[in-house]
Amino acid sequence: MSENSNNNSSSKEDLYPLALLMDELKHDDISNRVEAMKKLDTIALALGTQRTRDELIPFLTEVAQDDEDEVFSVLAEKLGSFVPFIGGRKYATLLLPALEILASTEETLVREKAVTSLNEIAEQLSEEQLLHDFVPLIENLATNEWFSSKVSACGLFKAVFVRIQDDKFRKDLLSLFLQLIQDDTPMVRRAAGRNLPTLIDQLTEHPELSTDDEWDYISSMFQRLVNDTQDSVKFLAVDVLISILKFFNMKQDFTHTKDLLQSSIQLIGDEAWRVRYMAADRFEELASQFTSNPQLINELLEPFLALCQDNESDVRKAIAKQIPGYAKLINDPSVVLNRIIPAVQNLSIDETESVRASLALEITNLAPLLPKQDAMDSLVPILLHMLKDEFPDVRLNIIAKLKVVNESVGISFLSENLLPAITELAKDVNWRVRLAIIEYIPLLAEQLGLEFFDSKLSDLCLSWLYDGVYSIRSAAISNLNKLTEIFGSDWARDEIITRLLKSDNQLLENFNYRITLLFALTGLVPVVDTDVIVEKILPFVNHLSTDNVPNIRFNVAKFYAVAVEALTKDTKDKHIELINKTVIPTLEKLCQDPDVDVRYFSEQSLEQCKSFLS
């Protein structure tokens, strides 16, 4: 009796995980069902591989046919990593039926996750499993009457295309893919067009597998895309063309190059703006496929300039980013100067802000492509004009990329022209512009040299410490730290710390001034000599330890930990007496402060200081 009872109890425990999951998946509240589905891994581990195969997978296949998209989405994602839970690759095909159902649903997210999971499982299947189970699944989806199934099928061909090394098989696959690219539904044709470059790239990686028959199919698919009546399908022909060009370049086969150049020009000048946009967005990559013949690169110049003057601002925005890349491929400074720079000039005053901002991201990369004098005469004036643009992003993008101009035309010339613009931008109403200028200062300082910096920019750097925006004040402190690393501790002592500590009493009465000053000094501690800390910084901060404002006092406590770490880093014995006589007693006093925050940070700092001394 007892033995039977134990067996029954054990049997109930074995059934419990699956029964619990089934109950949760029948719950009225969808959030409960979603959470239950997220625990599939745990359920499978509890059941073991045999029962997961025999009981859980059939149950999940049923669930895949009748629930909400939120549940399907989790299930589709989970099944992709489920192979270990069912006993490994040998049984992996058991997961395909549920995923095939999910790959046919109307909800895009569910289908995408199902396709991703199917591709992950396909990587683990043997060639026999692919032929016996996975390929029929693709065929079922591709020939289904519903567009959703066909869309999913388009994303699965790559899993088997080069894995099964049989010419007839690949020819049959491409024949099926051609049917999809000719489908009546634009969404199916779009999915096929989006996935075709992947198949071509696979042939590029495995050229030994390509045959003339396969290229006949691919050529037919490309022509179908180029002549498609839907813009949203036709624009995908650009990526397909790039992949085709890469394949022939890899094979050193240039017999089709001129025909493909004509296809490029046709797409670049297409009447549909989406197609022109895609050609503009990929222009450098497209043009780079013709480098075997420089003449062909030059034949793209007129189409390129036409894109720079396109009626659609999105097209101009896309081509603006491609200008330096294409100019580099031309490799002729006179063409860049006489043909491309005028187009750049027009784009720099484009009526659309986003076009100018896009140009600003890349325009500086034209500088190395021009002789120094030409860059100074033709490019720098455009840059200086754009630094005064009313749209902040234009100014920010130029500032962020000025380094390459410095290297090409020389900092002395640039600084003479740039300094007024920098001074103006340093006071810009937009705080992000001021922030960008601050971040650029160390680079400028390093290249301008100490004398120029002290006479022209040091006052500016100190003024940022008192900006109304916290992010600017914080960046200004970081900026002083970087400048000290460039110019040295003596410079920081004489030009920064001494000037800061000479502030008059009226300024020191301002809380914001005192706290900013404290933060600035704390930021300088790690980069100045210990003598500067002892002689200049420590006496002033000791004075702040009795400040009326608790916020000042607990930041003084934090400062002490930073200072003691710096003082004990290399010369612990030299400053140990000073620390024990000055810092430790002050911290102990702050530990008794009436304010709870001051006590908390003081206790923390005291503990840290003692650890540095030990």
Side-chain angles (χ1 to χ4, degrees):
M1 185 75 176
S2 174
E3 188 176 337
N4 288 338
S5 175
N6 286 338
N7 285 339
N8 289 337
S9 173
S10 174
S11 177
K12 285 179 182 176
E13 286 178 12
D14 289 344
L15 288 168
Y16 181 71
L18 186 57
L20 182 63
L21 176 66
M22 292 172 72
D23 285 345
E24 286 294 304
L25 286 174
K26 291 173 185 173
H27 200 285
D28 291 339
D29 187 344
I30 191 170
S31 61
N32 281 52
R33 303 205 299 278
V34 170
E35 287 304 311
M37 196 57 78
K38 288 179 179 178
K39 296 171 185 172
L40 275 186
D41 299 0
T42 309
I43 301 294
L45 282 171
L47 289 172
T49 56
Q50 181 72 46
R51 292 192 62 207
T52 298
R53 291 196 301 270
D54 296 346
E55 300 172 40
L56 182 58
I57 297 303
F59 171 67
L60 293 176
T61 306
E62 288 180 23
V63 171
Q65 300 174 63
D66 184 23
D67 210 314
E68 300 292 331
D69 290 333
E70 289 91 334
V71 178
F72 290 158
S73 177
V74 178
L75 176 59
E77 187 172 5
K78 283 285 184 184
L79 288 178
S81 57
F82 229 65
V83 175
F85 298 115
I86 59 172
R89 183 172 81 168
K90 181 180 177 182
Y91 304 100
T93 54
L94 294 174
L95 300 169
L96 301 184
L99 284 168
E100 182 177 352
I101 295 166
L102 294 169
S104 303
T105 59
E106 289 188 21
E107 174 55 43
T108 303
L109 181 61
V110 175
R111 291 201 311 271
E112 288 176 350
K113 288 189 174 181
V115 168
T116 300
S117 290
L118 282 166
N119 282 319
E120 288 172 0
I121 292 168
E123 290 177 5
Q124 303 173 63
L125 298 179
S126 65
E127 187 171 331
E128 183 183 349
Q129 287 173 311
L130 288 173
L131 280 168
H132 188 266
D133 296 283
F134 202 84
V135 172
L137 180 149
I138 295 175
E139 291 170 344
N140 290 341
L141 291 171
T143 54
N144 195 300
E145 61 180 307
W146 297 106
F147 84 90
S148 54
S149 300
K150 295 177 183 178
V151 167
S152 292
C154 295
L156 297 174
F157 282 74
K158 63 185 178 184
V160 295
F161 190 52
V162 294
R163 286 276 307 279
I164 300 171
Q165 300 190 6
D166 178 87
D167 291 345
K168 184 178 181 306
F169 167 77
R170 273 192 306 283
K171 185 178 173 182
D172 290 343
L173 269 186
L174 288 172
S175 176
L176 185 59
F177 203 87
L178 179 58
Q179 289 178 35
L180 293 168
I181 226 156
Q182 299 174 124
D183 195 85
D184 292 337
T185 309
M187 284 178 283
V188 176
R189 302 201 301 275
R190 189 158 56 243
R194 193 179 299 115
N195 283 280
L196 181 55
T198 304
L199 301 185
I200 301 170
D201 293 343
Q202 286 184 331
L203 286 178
T204 305
E205 293 168 12
H206 302 275
E208 71 283 358
L209 300 179
S210 66
T211 65
D212 290 341
D213 286 344
E214 289 168 1
W215 278 103
D216 287 342
Y217 276 110
I218 288 171
S219 178
S220 297
M221 293 182 210
F222 175 62
Q223 291 306 321
R224 289 279 179 179
L225 288 173
V226 169
N227 296 311
D228 200 283
T229 55
Q230 294 283 327
D231 303 351
S232 61
V233 177
K234 191 195 286 190
F235 82 90
L236 296 166
V238 176
D239 280 339
V240 174
L241 175 58
I242 291 170
S243 288
I244 291 173
L245 284 162
K246 284 179 179 177
F247 175 82
F248 286 123
N249 284 336
M250 179 275 304
K251 291 193 77 174
Q252 297 286 299
D253 178 357
F254 304 117
T255 54
H256 306 280
T257 306
K258 286 195 175 180
D259 289 340
L260 292 171
L261 176 68
Q262 290 310 309
S263 295
S264 302
I265 293 171
Q266 180 184 340
L267 288 168
I268 292 167
D270 195 272
E271 61 182 16
W273 77 267
R274 286 184 181 85
V275 179
R276 300 197 304 276
Y277 169 82
M278 182 63 85
D281 190 59
R282 308 280 200 274
F283 199 92
E284 181 186 350
E285 189 178 9
L286 180 61
S288 67
Q289 305 310 315
F290 296 101
T291 50
S292 60
N293 186 341
Q295 179 58 36
L296 299 182
I297 296 284
N298 290 331
E299 284 189 36
L300 288 170
L301 179 60
E302 293 303 328
F304 169 82
L305 295 174
L307 290 173
C308 291
Q309 299 168 17
D310 198 273
N311 292 331
E312 289 290 335
S313 60
D314 282 342
V315 175
R316 300 196 303 276
K317 177 182 173 182
I319 198 64
K321 292 182 183 178
Q322 306 291 311
I323 290 173
Y326 176 58
K328 191 173 183 180
L329 292 172
I330 289 177
N331 197 26
D332 185 341
S334 65
V335 173
V336 175
L337 186 64
N338 298 319
R339 302 300 305 280
I340 292 181
I341 290 294
V344 170
Q345 173 72 52
N346 289 334
L347 288 170
S348 72
I349 54 174
D350 194 276
E351 61 184 4
T352 307
E353 295 169 345
S354 59
V355 173
R356 304 196 302 275
S358 180
L359 176 68
L361 276 172
E362 296 293 337
I363 185 176
T364 57
N365 290 320
L366 285 169
L369 306 180
L370 292 167
K372 183 176 178 179
Q373 191 59 49
D374 288 336
M376 290 190 290
D377 293 343
S378 62
L379 187 61
V380 171
I382 298 174
L383 296 178
L384 294 172
H385 174 77
M386 294 183 80
L387 278 171
K388 297 174 184 174
D389 195 287
E390 60 184 17
F391 188 45
D393 283 8
V394 177
R395 305 196 294 269
L396 290 172
N397 292 346
I398 290 285
I399 292 161
K401 299 290 183 73
L402 276 174
K403 182 179 179 181
V404 67
V405 184
N406 294 348
E407 292 167 351
S408 300
V409 304
I411 193 66
S412 56
F413 173 83
L414 192 61
S415 63
E416 289 169 17
N417 295 275
L418 190 62
L419 202 58
I422 283 184
T423 307
E424 189 177 332
L425 290 168
K427 300 166 186 172
D428 197 277
V429 250
N430 187 310
W431 68 269
R432 287 184 178 83
V433 175
R434 302 199 298 278
L435 185 63
I437 287 288
I438 294 172
E439 290 170 351
Y440 179 65
I441 286 293
L443 169 68
L444 199 60
E446 200 167 10
Q447 296 178 2
L448 285 170
L450 180 59
E451 187 178 341
F452 185 93
F453 182 85
D454 281 346
S455 62
K456 305 289 185 182
L457 291 173
S458 61
D459 288 346
L460 193 59
C461 289
L462 290 177
S463 71
W464 283 318
L465 287 171
Y466 312 112
D467 194 278
V469 177
Y470 173 77
S471 294
I472 299 294
R473 299 196 299 273
S474 179
I477 291 166
S478 175
N479 180 48
L480 293 179
N481 183 295
K482 291 172 186 173
L483 290 171
T484 301
E485 289 179 342
I486 295 168
F487 294 141
S489 178
D490 289 348
W491 171 83
R493 179 193 62 209
D494 298 338
E495 293 297 325
I496 302 297
I497 297 170
T498 300
R499 289 176 66 184
L500 287 174
L501 297 180
K502 276 183 179 174
S503 308
D504 58 44
N505 291 331
Q506 191 173 356
L507 271 175
L508 286 172
E509 286 176 8
N510 184 301
F511 161 75
N512 284 330
Y513 185 89
R514 297 199 307 281
I515 193 75
T516 302
L517 187 53
L518 177 56
F519 286 153
L521 294 172
T522 306
L524 286 168
V525 163
V527 289
V528 296
D529 294 340
T530 55
D531 289 347
V532 177
I533 300 171
V534 171
E535 294 167 15
K536 292 281 188 181
I537 300 176
L538 204 54
F540 178 78
V541 177
N542 287 339
H543 171 72
L544 290 180
S545 68
T546 56
D547 197 278
N548 292 329
V549 181
N551 201 342
I552 300 279
R553 298 199 299 277
F554 76 63
N555 277 292
V556 167
K558 288 181 179 181
F559 161 85
Y560 282 136
V562 177
V564 170
E565 182 179 14
L567 292 172
T568 57
K569 203 166 192 177
D570 302 314
T571 53
K572 183 187 292 188
D573 295 341
K574 181 178 178 182
H575 301 294
I576 195 165
E577 186 179 349
L578 172 71
I579 295 167
N580 282 325
K581 281 189 175 180
T582 307
V583 177
I584 300 297
T586 306
L587 275 174
E588 287 173 343
K589 185 178 179 183
L590 288 170
C591 286
Q592 308 302 316
D593 196 274
D595 186 272
V596 63
D597 290 330
V598 176
R599 293 198 303 273
Y600 172 77
F601 288 110
S602 299
E603 287 164 4
Q604 277 199 329
S605 288
L606 184 59
E607 195 174 318
Q608 286 178 279
C609 291
K610 287 179 177 177
S611 71
F612 294 138
L613 290 169
S614 60

